[in-house]
Amino acid sequence: AQSVTQLGSHVSVSEGALVLLRCNYSSSVPPYLFWYVQYPNQGLQLLLKYTTGATLVKGINGFEAEFKKSETSFHLTKPSAHMSDAAEYFCAVTGYSTLTFGKGTMLLVSP
Amino acid sequence: DTEVTQTPKHLVMGMTNKKSLKCEQHMGHRAMYWYKQKAKKPPELMFVYSYEKLSINESVPSRFSPECPNSSLLNLHLHALQPEDSALYLCASSQGGEGTEAFFGQGTRLTVV
């Protein structure tokens, strides 16, 4: 069985500040990990993914995440938040067929 | 083309109506999915089609009936829904197989009155 836990249902940052969204996974097999973003009344957009190889993964819109097996973590970061980053972020894990999502973290960005 | 197209974007239906949601992708993906998403919750898997055959049904009530006419199209037929079925319905597709990401459509916002 696989699962992900996102720490913090809401994260608030100021524009220009570092963004850190936390995700820990549980998996009995090597995991494949993803971060998706969802803007209001929209579908989910893939930000980045980790499959194998390099543990630091770069995604779209300046986001990146680091896979740390020893900590079973896959935290999402962005050096400088922009107002347009305000959205819901979902961490997800998959093995062979279907995605298992975390509960989501709402990122709030203030001017 | 990495787009999954869903129609309609919004749908209001009565509890005795029959309606259908449509989803289309032209990425050659062999797996297609229906998800249901309630407000402030993650998407919940409903159905998975693999190579046009239903491979997973997550114990979804029979008032939801999926159909995959061909490898590019996925429908969700709705009949006798309840107000609690109001939600955002998301379609997704993927290559299928180990570790492949899913691409999502914009969703259909369904309101049952």
Side-chain angles (χ1 to χ4, degrees), chain B residues 44-57:
Chain B
E44 297 175 9
L45 184 65
M46 300 174 71
F47 303 103
V48 180
Y49 273 82
S50 179
Y51 291 89
E52 303 170 43
K53 294 190 187 312
L54 183 64
S55 60
I56 296 176
N57 176 343

Side-chain angles (χ1 to χ4, degrees), chain B residues 1-6 24-27 93 103-106:
Chain B
D1 182 6
T2 58
E3 194 170 288
V4 176
T5 303
Q6 289 188 244
E24 189 169 5
Q25 57 90 12
H26 295 289
M27 294 177 278
S93 70
F103 292 85
F104 285 81
Q106 295 299 291

